[in-house]
Amino acid sequence: MKNKIIWKFLGTYILSIVIAVFVLNFFVGIKLRDYYELKISERLMSNAFLVGDILEEDLSSNAQEQIQTKIEVLADRLNLRITVIDIGGKVLGDSEEDPHLMDDHSDRLEIIRVIEGGIGESNRFSDTLGYNMKYVAIDVKKDNNSIGVVRLALPLREVESQIRVIYRIVLLGGIIAIVFVVITGYFISRSIISPITQMKEIAQALAKGDFSKRVDIRTKDELEVLAGSLNKMADELQLKINNLKKMDKVRTDFVANVSHELKTPLTSIKGFIETLEDGAIDDKENARRFISIIKKHAEALSNIINDLLSLSELELAKDRISKCNFDLKGLLDEVILGFGHAISNKKQKLELDFKGNSFKIFADRTKIEEVFVNLIDNSVKYTPETGQIKIVIAERKDMLEMRVEDTGIGIPQEHLDRIFERFYRVDKARSRKFGGTGLGLAIVKHIILLHNGNIDIESQIGNGTKVIITLPKQ
Ligand SMILES: Nc1ncnc2c1ncn2[C@@H]1O[C@H](COP(=O)(O)OP(=O)(O)O)[C@@H](O)[C@H]1O
Ligand SMILES: [Mg+2]
């Protein structure tokens, strides 16, 4: 394939040059032939007049011997053929043949023309010499009477050989141009083909699912732009594939987690029911205890399913949360009322702190309620008796900052990064004991992100935890 492109380039170049050479030769040939013929006839003409002048005396005295000797010398000097003919057509002298052996010349075209009073000029085949000649004839006059004709001739093949010399020069130029074009064309084609080959390779790699290859092309032309787009495409594909893989892993992990979380209480429930079946049902005292344990596990199952439903609903909701204007103060009063019992049971102290004038917000009221329920629930659960819980709502420019702080057990540093992940719990057993599912913070984060807000958690083990949320008012 590589060779094919090269030959396409070179073939086109070479063909163009060959055509150019032929066209050039054709037109140059025509022009040159005209030019040389004109030059030759000019030369013949001026020499003919000269020879006529020289032979005037001899012609008028009809001194044939003299004429023959003179034209032999002159023809030799001028490097031409000279023929002298009398008015009747009889050859009086010829520089190349014996005039006595030559036939009557009155029928020759150039002679006819001279006799008719013009300038005799013709290109024709010489019977005497056996090749193409250019003839120029003039008549020699004495006292206004024609006394003879002087004819000068040159072989036309000289013109042909001159033109052939030019042809050869043009042809040589053409060959040099072809050699030059083949060499430069080879390098130019290679500089185009090599990037194309590189790009072909990464395109094939992409097609095979290998997104790691990139091309490095710096030709500063369209090829570089193309290579850039190809690299960008490979980057994007790689990113997308990685994301898909990550999403896939998150999904399978999630399914595994859900199954595991559901299995634990179900195994317990099944175990206690079997024990009851095996006779424990008749032992009133124990039966009651087992049933309350079964009830607790059933509640745990129900909690998990409720939280899962919440999460999937949030995922489906995306942009479809139903926002309204409401006052956070009012909402918090309601939420806290619900925790009154739990807080007083643990002898904890709850403090509410509002900083600012307006705590109105445009948001999904039910979901924001869910946020506070989850956060306050965590604080109550993970703060020992007599601990403190503080809720701070502070008005910022076009945001509201909300903090839920406690003096509880805290979260070890190494868990903070992952604490918002589904089912992530520092201590599974403890969380379960409190009816936790490990989904609460995941739900909270989801809701905050749906509102274009931000959530952060700070915690020190043994010292307490702060969850900081900022939400846009609008
Ligand atoms: N205020 C807090 N103090 C200490 N630990 C907390 C607090 N809030 C959350 N955590 C830790 O983060 C984990 C995840 O919280 P969450 O998603 O609400 O699950 P759950 O409350 O069901 O256990 C909890 O199991 C707990 O380990
Ligand atoms: Mg929770």
Side-chain angles (χ1 to χ4, degrees), residues 307 374-383 404-406 408-412 415 418-428 430-432 434-444 457 459 464-467:
D307 280 354
N374 269 297
L375 294 179
I376 296 168
D377 177 60
N378 281 349
S379 284
V380 173
K381 279 194 302 193
Y382 302 110
T383 303
V404 178
E405 311 176 357
D406 63 54
I409 58 171
I411 301 165
H415 294 282
R418 304 191 54 192
I419 207 73
F420 290 107
E421 286 177 20
R422 291 157 188 197
F423 296 117
Y424 197 89
R425 282 162 291 186
V426 175
D427 183 338
K428 279 194 189 204
R430 191 189 339 232
S431 162
R432 270 199 207 105
F434 294 126
T437 60
L439 293 170
L441 285 182
I443 292 171
V444 167
I457 189 161
S459 190
T465 305
K466 278 184 201 174
V467 177

Side-chain angles (χ1 to χ4, degrees), residues 17-77:
I17 292 171
V18 169
I19 290 172
V21 164
F22 274 103
V23 170
L24 201 65
N25 269 347
F26 180 72
F27 288 108
V28 164
I30 290 175
K31 264 277 157 224
L32 273 183
R33 193 167 282 121
D34 287 352
Y35 173 78
Y36 278 122
E37 282 190 21
L38 189 72
K39 280 280 148 202
I40 288 173
S41 51
E42 274 172 15
R43 188 178 135 210
L44 289 177
M45 196 64 75
S46 57
N47 283 334
F49 284 114
L50 211 70
V51 173
D53 285 348
I54 293 170
L55 296 180
E56 198 191 309
E57 288 293 315
D58 298 318
L59 266 173
S60 61
S61 60
N62 208 6
Q64 206 176 336
E65 295 285 307
Q66 302 271 40
I67 290 171
Q68 180 64 23
T69 6
K70 275 187 185 161
I71 61 174
E72 272 172 22
V73 176
L74 283 168
D76 195 41
R77 289 270 162 81

Side-chain angles (χ1 to χ4, degrees), residues 179 254 270 316:
V179 170
F254 182 64
K270 200 174 154 232
L316 288 175

Side-chain angles (χ1 to χ4, degrees), residues 251-390:
R251 204 158 290 159
T252 49
D253 284 357
F254 182 64
V255 171
N257 279 334
V258 169
S259 315
H260 180 75
E261 295 296 330
L262 294 176
K263 207 179 157 196
T264 314
L266 275 175
T267 313
S268 275
I269 290 171
K270 200 174 154 232
F272 282 107
I273 290 176
E274 276 165 5
T275 317
L276 287 170
E277 269 180 348
D278 288 349
I281 195 152
D282 300 322
D283 175 355
K284 273 258 157 81
E285 187 87 358
N286 267 331
R288 215 170 266 284
R289 199 162 60 83
F290 290 166
I291 285 169
S292 85
I293 293 174
I294 289 171
K295 192 183 162 201
K296 243 189 112 186
H297 285 303
E299 270 163 6
L301 274 178
S302 156
N303 284 347
I304 293 174
I305 286 161
N306 281 337
D307 280 354
L308 285 174
L309 284 174
S310 267
L311 264 179
S312 74
E313 191 203 314
L314 284 172
E315 257 162 17
L316 288 175
K318 294 265 181 232
D319 307 313
R320 285 185 279 121
I321 47 173
S322 49
K323 288 184 174 182
C324 64
N325 272 308
F326 64 91
D327 194 342
L328 269 184
K329 229 174 179 169
L331 175 81
L332 272 166
D333 285 342
E334 280 173 34
V335 173
I336 284 162
L337 212 62
F339 280 101
H341 202 64
I343 289 172
S344 63
N345 265 354
K346 287 186 89 173
K347 301 183 188 72
Q348 289 164 335
K349 215 184 117 202
L350 187 129
E351 191 188 322
L352 260 172
D353 187 0
F354 289 94
K355 293 174 172 156
N357 301 313
S358 164
F359 308 99
K360 282 214 151 55
I361 189 165
F362 183 64
D364 188 320
R365 196 175 193 277
T366 336
K367 296 211 161 58
I368 300 298
E369 183 180 344
E370 209 175 337
V371 166
F372 281 110
V373 168
N374 269 297
L375 294 179
I376 296 168
D377 177 60
N378 281 349
S379 284
V380 173
K381 279 194 302 193
Y382 302 110
T383 303
E385 291 199 352
T386 71
Q388 285 187 22
I389 300 166
K390 189 175 172 188

